[in-house]
Amino acid sequence: MVKQYQMYIDGAFVPSVSNRTFAVYNPATEQILSEVPRANVDDVTRAIDAAAQAQPDWEQWPAVERGQYLHRIADGIRARAGEIAETISAEMGKTLSLATVEVNFTADYLDYMAEWARRYEGEIIQSDRRNEHILLYKKAIGVVTGILPWNFPFFLIARKAAPALVTGNTIVIKPSEESPNNAALFAEIVHQIGLPKGVFNVVTGFGNEIGEALSSNEKVGMVSFTGSQLTGQKVMAAASKHIIKVNLELGGKAPAIVLADADLDLAATAVVNSRVINSGQVCNCAERVYVQSSVKAAFLAKLVEKMQAVSYGDPLAKTDIDMGPLVNEKGLQKVQAIVENAVAQGGNLVLGGKAVEQTGYYFEPTIIDNVHNAMEIMRSEIFGPVIPVATFETLGEAIALANDCEYGLTSSIYTQNLNSAMTLISRLKFGETYVNRENFEAMQGYHAGWRKSGIGGADGKHGLEEYLQTQVVYLQFRGE
Ligand code: NAD
């Protein structure tokens, strides 16, 4: 049955004023799942106006009361966890077990951010003048727009809305056109728990039609965007029209460096998990592997064994699978082209290498070695279950190869040697470095990319601060 969802604007579920809709497909079955409003610029203006109207009052509430709403949303999510997880799996193809992790993590994240209500603080600064206090307040920015990708669609709503709301901002969320259904469920929960109208809004539609309006409206104080580098540039350009703050979480091309003294089994398991989780469609997961040449053969043998064991299928038909399909046909074709290009340039196909001939957008678990940094496969995001493997001789060479990249989001290193680990940590130019473990950030950490991976970041106290601006007050009194 094809479901019908609405947008959520000013506390009401509404169609687009254009009355247009678009279809959402299941990438495992290629069947239509739902019809969703195709917003136009007027819908975006309506949502931003509602958020702007609600914001001054929302900001006046004690932060702890705003936080209580987040706790209630978290409870509402837990009560519908199964349904939400199935909705996510159906529309973007991740396994049901991963979707369930995402839903529970989202609820925990809302609880975590709610706890900041009593913890974020201003400052009192020493004055140079007698009888003067300098007070630094941390205040809400105002209206935030949150533009999302499809790969962790439900969690990313909370990653933006939770810090925004607890600090007194209001928000308009635009989910990806690939995965809007779960956002409608989020809005249903928000509505059910009675969040004041206009504080949280959802518009659904295509980025090339409404993205600019979301990024350039003068009433918006910050655009919090997660997605590709190319779209991030467009958001930044649009936001510059009214000097709107941007928070950009963009792509990654994470290196995994495996030294000769590493626990090779642990390293191979972590790299394979990293490439298989979410079918390889994760911004922070190992996108290129550098292994010290003396252990390359042993490491590659382990990689092959573990990748061969990877199972895949329709996430709603099979539960004991490691991955589902890629998100859509375009994604599948992109992965295929990158792999073919690597082989044409001299890469050696060790395993897999092609799309699976069946309904759904599946790509075989793939390993390619003999690759080097000049190849597209080592420079562009693959976003599929493909591991390219290159070698190095010295630590210095590994550092140079890893840093030779326009992205700077995450990196991982595998070694038992403290000196090697510390040398790498001090010289790698990435926002995150994982030592002897897979790439997966903690909600109390800080996820922020260097170079073209973004501006600003998310999570923890530093992520919360992104949603605040300062007001410094110079307060003079006469004194006695
Ligand atoms: P995308 O850039 O194609 O789309 C992201 C969002 O931007 C969508 O909602 C889309 O509709 C919207 N959009 C499109 N054109 C727009 C415009 N002109 N103005 C404003 N918005 C517009 O990205 P995607 O394919 O959905 O997601 C995959 C990308 O996201 C990858 O590059 C991945 O690395 C990145 N990502 C990064 C992080 C992170 O934390 N750094 C997390 C998840 C995903």
Side-chain angles (χ1 to χ4, degrees):
M1 194 187 70
V2 177
K3 293 194 170 156
Q4 310 287 329
Y5 290 107
Q6 303 286 31
M7 302 192 289
Y8 187 62
I9 299 177
D10 205 16
F13 290 92
V14 293
S16 165
V17 289
S18 72
N19 260 325
R20 292 191 307 168
T21 61
F22 65 97
V24 180
Y25 291 86
N26 179 331
T29 63
E30 302 178 35
Q31 303 289 313
I32 292 188
L33 287 167
S34 63
E35 295 280 350
V36 180
R38 183 166 168 174
N40 63 15
V41 172
D42 290 341
D43 294 308
V44 170
T45 307
R46 204 156 47 116
I48 291 173
D49 284 349
Q53 178 82 24
Q55 198 274 329
D57 185 56
W58 179 243
E59 190 179 2
Q60 296 308 313
W61 290 49
V64 72
E65 290 183 30
R66 294 195 296 262
Q68 278 156 8
Y69 279 107
L70 298 189
H71 285 308
R72 273 184 247 154
I73 298 171
D75 291 344
I77 288 171
R78 291 191 185 97
R80 292 176 68 179
E83 176 197 355
I84 300 167
E86 281 182 16
T87 303
I88 297 170
S89 289
E91 62 186 326
M92 56 66 62
K94 70 179 47 164
T95 62
L96 202 51
S97 56
L98 182 60
T100 304
V101 169
E102 179 176 345
V103 173
N104 291 328
F105 192 80
T106 302
D108 291 350
Y109 195 91
L110 283 150
D111 281 339
Y112 166 75
M113 279 296 169
E115 294 296 328
W116 278 102
R118 287 197 180 94
R119 294 193 169 89
Y120 75 95
E121 294 169 343
E123 293 170 23
I124 300 171
I125 300 166
Q126 293 298 333
S127 173
D128 294 349
R129 298 185 182 196
R130 191 180 275 268
N131 293 335
E132 178 173 88
H133 288 183
I134 304 177
L135 312 174
L136 184 145
Y137 292 90
K138 294 279 174 79
K139 294 202 164 175
I141 294 175
V143 175
V144 175
T145 52
I147 304 176
L148 313 182
W150 44 264
N151 62 348
F152 287 89
F154 196 70
F155 166 58
L156 283 159
I157 301 172
R159 197 183 228 177
K160 298 189 186 306
L165 266 47
V166 76
T167 49
N169 301 277
T170 54
I171 196 162
V172 177
I173 291 284
K174 191 202 92 62
S176 166
E177 45 271 54
E178 302 293 339
S179 57
N181 297 347
N182 67 83
L185 301 190
F186 199 107
E188 283 176 21
I189 292 163
V190 160
H191 189 69
Q192 194 188 354
I193 61 110
L195 191 75
K197 66 178 190 162
V199 170
F200 176 90
N201 308 272
V202 176
V203 292
T204 51
F206 291 88
N208 58 1
E209 293 175 359
I210 57 170
E212 185 171 346
L214 284 159
S215 313
S216 64
N217 186 306
E218 206 171 358
K219 291 185 182 167
V220 172
M222 178 164 88
V223 190
S224 180
F225 172 82
T226 303
S228 63
Q229 188 195 108
L230 197 67
T231 314
Q233 283 174 326
K234 290 182 188 165
V235 166
M236 205 170 162
S240 72
K241 191 171 158 196
H242 290 298
I243 322 291
I244 296 169
K245 178 178 177 181
V246 290
N247 174 286
L248 303 176
E249 302 282 328
L250 309 179
K253 188 70 189 167
I257 300 173
V258 182
L259 298 191
D261 62 39
D263 177 336
L264 293 186
D265 204 54
L266 179 150
T269 301
V271 167
V272 167
N273 288 345
S274 191
R275 289 320 288 156
V276 167
I277 185 172
N278 220 23
S279 309
Q281 305 165 115
V282 189
C283 61
N284 66 6
C285 285
E287 276 259 340
R288 50 196 173 114
V289 176
Y290 300 101
V291 56
Q292 205 151 17
S293 56
S294 59
V295 293
K296 185 212 166 174
F299 179 68
L300 195 59
K302 286 183 187 292
L303 274 190
V304 170
E305 187 194 324
K306 292 176 197 295
M307 275 298 257
Q308 269 172 336
V310 168
S311 57
Y312 51 87
D314 178 347
L316 294 184
K318 293 182 183 176
T319 47
D320 57 342
I321 46 168
D322 299 311
M323 63 178 193
L326 299 184
V327 68
N328 55 27
E329 193 172 8
K330 206 169 123 206
L332 188 70
Q333 285 167 353
K334 186 184 151 211
V335 175
Q336 181 79 68
I338 287 180
V339 169
E340 281 171 7
N341 197 9
V343 172
Q345 289 177 316
N348 173 38
L349 198 57
V350 179
L351 186 73
K354 55 185 190 314
V356 180
E357 285 185 19
Q358 68 177 64
T359 303
Y361 309 119
Y362 299 93
F363 200 83
E364 294 175 345
T366 296
I367 300 175
I368 303 182
D369 76 348
N370 281 349
V371 294
H372 55 76
N373 265 24
M375 292 180 177
E376 183 195 15
I377 199 166
M378 297 297 267
R379 305 206 79 82
S380 304
E381 274 189 307
I382 305 169
F383 250 49
V386 177
I387 306 177
V389 183
T391 54
F392 64 90
E393 301 296 333
T394 65
L395 207 56
E397 198 189 339
I399 292 164
L401 287 168
N403 285 340
D404 170 28
C405 180
E406 63 176 357
Y407 292 106
L409 191 57
T410 76
S411 51
S412 60
I413 58 186
Y414 298 89
T415 178
Q416 299 299 316
N417 183 301
L418 180 65
N419 187 53
S420 302
M422 289 309 295
T423 304
L424 284 163
I425 289 166
S426 61
R427 290 178 54 196
L428 283 175
K429 296 184 186 307
F430 292 83
E432 274 164 27
T433 299
Y434 296 87
V435 184
N436 295 322
R437 59 160 280 197
E438 80 293 349
N439 309 18
F440 198 82
E441 63 265 23
M443 63 182 80
Q444 66 274 36
Y446 185 52
H447 182 60
W450 292 20
R451 295 187 291 281
K452 292 180 186 165
S453 285
I455 296 177
D459 309 336
K461 73 173 173 201
H462 301 287
L464 187 92
E465 295 270 335
E466 296 279 321
Y467 291 83
L468 291 164
Q469 58 190 349
T470 54
Q471 180 185 23
V472 178
V473 174
Y474 296 86
L475 192 150
Q476 293 249 344
F477 54 100
R478 203 177 51 207
E480 291 299 328

